[in-house]
């Protein structure tokens, strides 16, 4: 039988009623002759609750125990989905990551999938099982400990399963009916895209768009997985949702395809660091070892052998950054006057493969922000995106103004 992978996000399984609704969609695909692998997230809000308990218990927690606690949300959903399908007379069972097994690295809370042997699940399909309900977001380390893949890791689980089982396609069900030019909750003019290139989706995901997780898009692009983003709350058709595909499959596209943003950013500046060879390596090695995910980096002009080094990171990692820098200063590897943290900033980005062949996008973006009286704190660019850090209070204004300026409400 052909294999289909269906992934249901937290809002799609938030209640028993929604689990039943999702199970009916699975039943439709089973009736078409598919063996179905269902990847489930924790019920909406459950992961945040579990993370909160961990942080309250131990702010500088043991990541192995963090994974043991936080992965439990998906186990609950998988069991409930399997029970629901059984009540519909569909042969189904739940699978935790270690049972498949989903083999990962030992990087707890941010593990990477290394291998998914299909033998166990395929043998059960051969015995008459029609649906394997797999707990997303989790796996097992070489040491036999439970691991998690980072927030949004169920998307990565789904695409990895689609690649490992050579699935006909991978459908990602969420609370939106596709990929939009920006978050419809921020701009009422946001438009659903019928297709989006892997590279654009990768940038949008990495820049704060929460439709798909970054690594899931990387995997889909690498293994040519047919990937669709769909709503679990609307009627489906063969053309529903947004297809994430190769650039060659898109005939025409706007210069800018989307506006991404991230509220939970912090800007951190090391003031008066010795300007010498290796200082950047020393700073960012310490941050990496401290578990800080650095994004934008700017080094100021040197004066009298001293310079300032600025970077952005998730706002909830500022304490870790401060601890890493203090330890490096005590160890004598970095000398600086002070570390300043601005925890009230947001990142706004414009993304589009059309930027490769069109000039003036940066000038237009900066002029639009200037017209709105929005000051830019940090700028970074790549071939198909431009990102800026601004005061968080101006984030929605910036997104709406840029969406209008690039006319993203209109199709190419």
């Amino acid at each position: 039988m052909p294999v289909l992978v269906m992934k249901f996000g937290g809002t799609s399984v938030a209640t028993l009623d929604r689990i039943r609704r999702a199970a009916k969609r699975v039943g439709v695909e089973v009736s078409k002759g598919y063996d179905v692998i269902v990847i489930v997230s924790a019920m909406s809000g459950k992961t945040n609750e579990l993370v909160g308990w961990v942080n309250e218990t131990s702010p500088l927690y043991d990541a192995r125990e963090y994974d043991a606690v936080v992965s439990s949300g998906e186990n609950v959903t998988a069991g409930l989905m399997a029970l629901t399908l059984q009540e519909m007379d569909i042969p189904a069972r739940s699978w935790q990551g270690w049972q498949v097994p989903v083999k990962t690295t030992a990087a707890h809370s941010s593990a990477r999938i290394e291998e998914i042997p299909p033998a166990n699940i395929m043998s059960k399909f051969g015995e008459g099982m029609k649906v394997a309900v797999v707990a997303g977001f989790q796996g097992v380390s070489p040491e036999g400990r439970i691991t998690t893949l980072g927030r949004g890791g169920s998307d990565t689980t789904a695409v990895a399963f689609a690649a490992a089982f050579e699935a006909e396609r991978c459908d990602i069900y969420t609370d939106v009916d596709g990929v939009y030019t920006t978050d419809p909750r921020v701009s009422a003019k946001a438009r659903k895209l019928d297709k989006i290139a892997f590279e654009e989706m990768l940038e949008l995901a990495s820049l704060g768009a929460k439709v798909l997780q970054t690594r899931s898009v990387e995997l889909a692009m690498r293994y040519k997985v047919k990937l669709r983003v769909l709503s679990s709350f609307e009627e489906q058709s063969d053309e529903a949702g947004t297809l994430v595909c190769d650039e060659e499959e898109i005939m025409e596209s706007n210069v800018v395809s989307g506006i991404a943003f991230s509220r939970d950013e912090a800007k951190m500046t090391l003031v008066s660091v010795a300007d010498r060879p290796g200082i950047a390596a020393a700073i960012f090695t310490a941050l990496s070892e401290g578990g800080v995910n650095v994004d934008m980096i700017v080094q100021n002009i040197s004066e009298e052998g001293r310079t300032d080094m600025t970077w952005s990171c998730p706002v909830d990692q500022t304490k870790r950054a401060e601890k890493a820098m203090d330890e490096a200063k005590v160890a004598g590897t970095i000398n600086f006057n002070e570390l300043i943290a601005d925890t009230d900033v947001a990142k706004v980005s414009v993304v589009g493969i059309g930027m490769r062949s069109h000039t003036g996008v940066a000038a237009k973006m900066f002029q639009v922000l200037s017209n709105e009286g929005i000051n830019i704190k940090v700028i970074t660019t790549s071939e198909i995106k431009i990102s800026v850090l601004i005061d968080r209070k101006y984030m929605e204004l910036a997104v709406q103004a840029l969406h209008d300026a690039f006319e993203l409400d209109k199709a190419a």
Side-chain angles (χ1 to χ4, degrees):
M1 292 292 184
V3 174
L4 179 69
V5 174
M6 304 173 72
K7 182 262 177 177
F8 292 94
T11 53
S12 302
V13 292
T15 64
L16 292 178
D17 184 59
R18 289 186 181 179
I19 290 174
R20 293 186 192 100
R21 184 182 300 180
K24 288 179 181 178
R25 294 193 186 281
V26 176
V28 169
E29 301 300 342
V30 170
S31 70
K32 294 177 182 177
Y34 288 106
D35 285 336
V36 181
I37 298 173
V38 175
I39 310 296
V40 292
S41 298
M43 299 169 82
S44 183
K46 181 55 65 176
T47 300
N48 286 339
E49 181 182 40
L50 294 169
V51 171
W53 289 348
V54 171
N55 286 326
E56 187 176 339
T57 304
S58 176
L60 295 174
Y61 50 74
D62 179 341
R64 294 167 297 186
E65 301 306 336
Y66 170 95
D67 282 355
V69 174
V70 176
S71 64
S72 64
E74 280 71 17
N75 297 342
V76 172
T77 313
L80 292 172
M81 176 66 81
L83 287 170
T84 303
L85 290 164
Q86 290 170 10
E87 287 295 306
M88 296 165 59
D89 294 324
I90 297 173
R93 63 155 283 191
S94 64
W95 297 75
Q96 296 179 19
W98 63 271
Q99 293 174 306
V100 175
V102 179
K103 298 181 180 181
T104 73
T105 62
H108 287 274
S109 79
S110 58
R112 288 185 173 271
I113 295 172
E114 293 193 320
E115 184 186 4
I116 302 177
N120 286 346
I121 286 179
M122 289 305 293
S123 68
K124 291 299 180 183
F125 279 143
E127 294 171 10
M129 179 185 72
K130 296 305 297 178
V131 182
V133 186
V134 179
F137 174 63
Q138 62 176 248
V140 60
S141 73
E143 294 78 25
R145 295 293 299 260
I146 294 170
T147 57
T148 63
L149 310 180
R151 297 302 294 266
S154 294
D155 288 345
T156 302
T157 305
V159 175
F161 269 84
F165 285 79
E166 299 180 348
E168 187 169 303
R169 70 175 189 272
C170 178
D171 288 346
I172 306 288
Y173 286 87
T174 181
D175 55 354
V176 294
D177 59 346
V179 180
Y180 278 72
T181 50
T182 195
D183 189 333
R185 292 169 294 189
V186 172
S187 174
K189 297 181 182 179
R191 176 176 57 86
K192 185 174 77 69
L193 300 167
D194 294 327
K195 294 182 179 181
I196 186 169
F198 283 123
E199 287 181 86
E200 291 175 316
M201 191 66 247
L202 188 58
E203 289 284 9
L204 289 171
S206 67
L207 293 167
K210 293 180 170 57
V211 178
L212 288 173
Q213 199 237 22
T214 307
R215 276 184 287 161
S216 69
V217 185
E218 290 175 343
L219 280 174
M221 184 163 57
R222 185 186 312 160
Y223 293 103
K224 306 297 183 185
V225 171
K226 187 176 181 181
L227 186 61
R228 281 200 308 171
V229 180
L230 304 144
S231 170
S232 57
F233 305 110
E234 296 188 0
E235 294 298 321
Q236 303 301 323
S237 69
D238 291 339
E239 302 301 319
T242 298
L243 179 68
V244 187
C245 58
D246 282 323
E247 182 179 339
E248 291 74 21
E249 295 184 46
I250 302 174
M251 297 297 292
E252 292 288 340
S253 64
N254 291 331
V255 177
V256 171
S257 296
I259 311 293
F261 59 87
S262 174
R263 282 188 177 86
D264 301 323
E265 298 288 321
K267 179 172 76 77
M268 308 195 74
T269 301
L270 272 183
V271 178
S272 190
V273 186
D275 189 10
R276 58 172 174 80
I279 188 62
I283 292 169
F284 294 107
T285 297
L287 290 170
S288 175
E289 291 174 349
V292 180
N293 183 21
V294 173
D295 182 16
M296 308 166 85
I297 300 171
V298 175
Q299 182 174 353
N300 290 351
I301 296 172
S302 177
E303 291 185 8
E304 298 179 359
R306 312 292 289 184
T307 187
D308 297 342
M309 187 75 75
T310 298
W311 68 86
S312 67
C313 66
V315 72
D316 61 359
Q317 294 180 7
T318 54
K319 295 296 183 186
R320 290 175 180 265
E322 289 166 354
K323 182 173 183 285
M325 291 299 95
D326 288 343
E327 290 177 350
K329 188 173 186 178
V330 170
T333 55
I334 304 171
N335 178 263
F336 60 91
N337 284 357
E338 62 177 325
L339 175 59
I340 300 173
D342 181 354
T343 58
D344 198 27
V345 297
K347 178 173 61 177
V348 176
S349 310
V350 298
V351 176
I353 53 176
M355 291 166 61
R356 288 196 184 112
S357 54
H358 289 77
T359 60
V361 176
K364 186 173 185 177
M365 179 182 187
F366 301 154
Q367 187 61 58
V368 168
L369 295 176
S370 173
N371 292 345
E372 299 293 342
I374 300 172
N375 186 46
I376 298 171
K377 296 174 179 285
V378 179
I379 303 168
T380 60
T381 65
S382 77
E383 192 179 23
I384 65 168
K385 65 102 180 187
I386 303 166
S387 296
V388 297
L389 278 187
I390 61 174
D391 286 328
R392 190 174 297 150
K393 64 183 178 181
Y394 295 123
M395 189 201 74
E396 294 195 5
L397 173 62
V399 170
Q400 292 164 356
L402 291 168
H403 197 276
D404 288 346
F406 288 104
E407 298 183 329
L408 296 187
D409 55 323
K410 301 175 183 176

